Structures are given as structure tokens and as C-alpha cells.
Amino acid sequence: MGGTVPGPGKGMNAAAQAVAAVVLVGGIGGAAWAWGETGGQPTDRGPATCSHSREDLPAEYVSGAQLCEALNRPDLPVLLGTPGERAETASGSGDRTAGAGGDRTASSQATVTLKSHSVKVTASYDRLPVAGMAGLLGDTAREQTVLGHPAVLYSDHTIALRINLGGAGGGSGGPGGIARHLLVARDAKDGGGSYELVVWRQDDMVPDEAALLRVAEQVLPTIPGWTSG
């Protein structure tokens, strides 16, 4: 990924005046995520606090704000294997989307970005069980159990999107790095709905699978409504 943002300089052409970003494509429901590179060094500011937009979710569903509070934990950098870092951005959102049959399905999400990693957690309140999803999630998918809940661990590619801010043409895209996904049933009986944790690296290196599992084991039990297996 073109992770370095060039600064102004003599003779720099329009094509070089680009901002690198990554769009992470994949997961249940074709969800997509985007992040922008901060390019800054840690300052004396504390870790990021959660920001969230207005949410249209009834009280029985976990909100994006609640997911953000669960994910944006002080030891997240340690769980990811980067103890010297801190959360730089943290946000959450939630909404209900209309399906083909007119039903509105609730979902919420939160993302925390560090200098080296981004981590996302999503709560989906559809009727789909996790068992059997491995066959739909590619050759890398494998079933396992996480905290007593059925789960599927799989990987997919990000898409690197380079946006040209200095000339004609909107930009270009291409293959990015690898994202690790962990899809976990909302309850031990796998009655429908899921939580999904995703981790990807800003430098396009392959994320540590063990780090994703560490994050899941600590974050999931703190989400409101989580039931022990």
C-alpha cells in the first residue's frame, strides 16, 4: 500500500499529490470499511475517546456507542502485540436497514484505529446461524469455538484505494493487504445473528491470528447482552 503521504516539494506533479486509504471489503452482508492514514506521531494527548453518530436502534439492540466502549479498551494495543501504541481514533454507529422482504435488520459497528492496526467489531441481528457459514466464506475459512460459541475464522483482501487530489481522474484501486475476520454466533445455541471482529494492518502485512483471538476473548464478554457459553 502506498502508506507514505508525500509532502509538498519542488517539481511535484499532480499524480504524486495523492492520499492513500484502504477500503476493507468482505464479511457478512458485503460490509465495507474505510480508514484514512493519520501520518502523525503520538503526542501527549491520551487515547482516543469514542465518537458516534445518531443511532436509530431500539434499546434491545447493542448500540455502536456501546460497541465502541467495549472495543476501545486501554489494553487493546497490548492485545494486538503493539504495547507502545495507543488508540488514535475510535467511533461507533448503528442503524436498521431494509431487506428484500421489507424487514428492517438491526446492526451496529465500531472501529478503533492505531498507528499499525485497525480493529472493527460488528453486531448483526439477522436470522442467519454461524454454523455452516465456513463454506460461503472462502478457502481460508475454518470453523471453531470461541468462548463456547460457534465461530468461523477466515481471511480476505483489502482494496488499496489511491485518490488523486491534484488532477483529473478520481483515483485508482488495487489489491491491498490481508484482513483477519472472526465471526461468532451471538448465543451458544447459534439461534441467529452474530458478532464479527476484523483486524487489518496499515502497512499491509498479515495480521497476527493469535492477536485477533486475544481481542475477541477479552472484548466479546464486555458487550452488553453477551451470554456465556
Side-chain angles (χ1 to χ4, degrees):
M1 180 191 79
T4 301
V5 179
K10 185 180 293 185
M12 179 177 289
N13 59 31
Q17 299 175 18
V19 176
V22 163
V23 178
L24 177 64
V25 178
I28 298 301
W33 303 274
W35 59 267
E37 183 159 350
T38 64
Q41 298 297 322
T43 68
D44 56 358
R45 294 181 295 112
T49 56
C50 287
S51 63
H52 57 91
S53 57
R54 183 176 180 178
E55 302 189 53
D56 178 26
L57 288 177
E60 63 264 28
Y61 301 115
V62 64
S63 67
Q66 290 171 316
L67 287 180
C68 190
E69 292 297 329
L71 184 61
N72 189 29
R73 38 189 301 135
D75 63 348
L76 182 61
V78 175
L79 297 174
L80 290 169
T82 57
E85 297 187 13
R86 61 172 177 81
E88 297 188 342
T89 64
S91 61
S93 62
D95 203 352
R96 290 181 293 177
T97 57
D103 294 335
R104 300 183 69 195
T105 300
S107 64
S108 52
Q109 61 184 14
T111 304
V112 175
T113 300
L114 289 73
K115 183 177 181 180
S116 63
H117 291 74
S118 288
V119 189
K120 179 164 184 170
V121 60
T122 302
S124 298
Y125 292 87
D126 52 39
R127 299 185 179 90
L128 298 175
V130 169
M133 291 297 295
L136 304 176
L137 295 174
D139 295 337
T140 66
R142 68 178 189 269
E143 295 183 350
Q144 60 185 78
T145 300
V146 173
L147 299 173
H149 292 222
V152 176
L153 185 67
Y154 70 102
S155 302
D156 67 4
H157 281 275
T158 64
I159 293 178
L161 177 63
R162 187 170 296 276
I163 305 171
N164 186 357
L165 299 181
S172 61
I178 296 293
R180 300 282 198 193
H181 297 247
L182 182 66
L183 187 67
V184 183
R186 288 186 55 245
D187 59 72
K189 295 182 179 180
D190 200 11
S194 61
Y195 300 106
E196 185 165 18
L197 277 153
V198 192
V199 60
W200 67 99
R201 291 182 58 106
Q202 319 293 30
D203 57 10
D204 284 352
M205 293 181 64
V206 179
D208 182 14
E209 181 180 303
L212 174 59
L213 292 172
R214 286 196 300 268
V215 172
E217 289 171 353
Q218 297 301 315
V219 169
L220 290 174
T222 66
I223 295 176
W226 172 266
T227 58
S228 173

